[in-house]
Amino acid sequence: GEEDRTQFRVNRTLQGGTLERIYPDGKKEKLELKTGEVRFLEPSKGGNYKVMNIGKTTVVNYVVRLK
């Protein structure tokens, strides 16, 4: 999905899996997320990327955007 990624965020993975980030310039980045993992995410320097689920499970994240 596409969303605003220009803010600092805290991301907690409620159900893990495999995702792929696709940046506006075509660059791709594979992510392996584990259930229970908590990550602090800085604003994206590559622009607002899209995320595709490339695994076999449904990935569920809880995201808090910091002001």
Side-chain angles (χ1 to χ4, degrees):
E2 197 167 344
E3 64 180 70
D4 183 14
R5 294 179 173 88
T6 59
Q7 295 176 283
F8 288 96
R9 304 169 318 280
V10 176
N11 180 318
R12 179 168 185 232
T13 301
L14 303 177
Q15 185 172 326
T18 306
L19 299 178
E20 182 175 67
R21 289 180 180 170
I22 305 168
Y23 293 91
D25 65 0
K27 177 186 165 193
K28 295 181 179 182
E29 178 183 11
K30 185 176 175 180
L31 300 169
E32 297 285 342
L33 302 177
K34 295 180 182 175
T35 300
E37 179 178 27
V38 177
R39 299 179 302 140
F40 176 76
L41 303 171
E42 295 189 14
S44 173
K45 295 177 182 160
N48 277 335
Y49 52 82
K50 293 182 181 181
V51 176
M52 297 286 295
N53 185 341
I54 59 171
K56 296 181 180 183
T57 62
T58 300
V59 176
V60 180
N61 289 311
Y62 181 81
V63 180
V64 177
R65 288 180 189 82
L66 306 177
K67 292 186 177 187

